Amino acid sequence: RGRGRGRGGGERGGFSNVLIFGLLGVCGTICLPLGLVMRYRAHKAVERRSEERAKLRPCNGHGITQTTWAGTYTETGASKPTTYEWTADSSGQFSGFSKDDDGTSQVRGVLVWEPNQQEGQIAWQEIPRHPSHGTVEGTVDAHMKTCLNGTVEVCGKIRLNGSHMVIDADYISQIEQGTICLEAQTGVA
């Protein structure tokens, strides 16, 4: 009887319900816009990285052509395997694909590696072949909606390690950021 809705129990239960719904209302008013603000900031960071990549002046001074890479990507403290395969043209533009536990993505990028230099710059964009299935609600511009599809912007260094090429880079997406470490399996410079 003490646990039931006897004397006074309904009043406390009513107060608890009002309190819970009140908190949900406050969270809906504050948390939803806060989530959109965070997504918008992440979108702007990806957009800035894309603009930086577009400003690079390609140079394929080492004559890289078709190349296969293997290595790891690390996010939230966990490292996972990844592979890349891409073909660079004589100017330094490249395209291909990557594979990891999230699936396959199209890759397009630019390398800036002068002849006789041990190290150069590399930057690329990854676009998943099967974008995220999440929905975007509210008033978000169309450009941000395309950013929400899982596009990743990567930039870093490409260098020789003995006779092998190595890439050390960092990446940012709408929802994650991390690092990528790759070693060329074919296409050695």
Side-chain angles (χ1 to χ4, degrees):
R1 206 191 246 241
R3 291 184 180 178
R5 294 184 50 97
R7 298 169 79 143
E11 292 162 7
R12 275 188 273 141
F15 177 74
S16 297
N17 290 340
V18 169
L19 181 62
I20 289 171
F21 285 118
L23 289 174
L24 288 175
V26 169
C27 189
T29 304
I30 295 172
C31 297
L32 182 61
L34 184 58
L36 287 175
V37 167
M38 292 173 63
R39 281 185 174 181
Y40 185 74
R41 285 183 181 163
H43 158 73
K44 286 299 189 184
V46 171
E47 191 175 68
R48 277 191 301 277
R49 181 73 63 90
S50 177
E51 290 168 357
E52 291 169 8
R53 178 177 42 83
K55 290 178 185 176
L56 292 176
R57 301 186 84 193
C59 176
N60 190 356
H62 286 257
I64 299 169
T65 56
Q66 187 171 357
T67 310
T68 303
W69 303 83
T72 59
Y73 74 98
T74 303
E75 61 189 24
T76 61
S79 293
K80 300 177 182 178
T82 185
T83 59
Y84 288 77
E85 187 173 316
W86 46 260
T87 302
D89 64 21
S90 59
S91 75
Q93 301 281 344
F94 64 88
S95 63
F97 63 91
S98 68
K99 290 182 184 177
D100 61 29
D101 65 330
D102 292 327
T104 302
S105 296
Q106 295 175 330
V107 173
R108 61 181 179 180
V110 59
L111 60 102
V112 183
W113 201 1
E114 300 289 336
N116 303 318
Q117 294 294 314
Q118 190 73 13
E119 184 177 277
Q121 284 183 280
I122 190 165
W124 69 87
Q125 179 183 66
E126 296 182 29
I127 301 171
R129 292 207 174 148
H130 302 289
S132 306
H133 298 297
T135 59
V136 179
E137 296 179 11
T139 54
V140 182
D141 62 277
H143 186 64
M144 186 173 163
K145 287 181 183 177
T146 62
C147 186
L148 292 173
N149 73 359
T151 298
V152 176
E153 286 287 338
V154 183
C155 72
K157 300 290 184 186
I158 184 169
R159 63 184 169 80
L160 288 172
N161 183 14
S163 62
H164 287 90
M165 293 182 291
V166 176
I167 296 174
D168 293 307
D170 62 84
Y171 69 88
I172 188 168
S173 74
Q174 185 68 24
I175 56 173
E176 292 289 348
Q177 58 186 25
T179 60
I180 297 176
C181 299
L182 302 169
E183 185 172 328
Q185 306 300 299
T186 63
V188 177

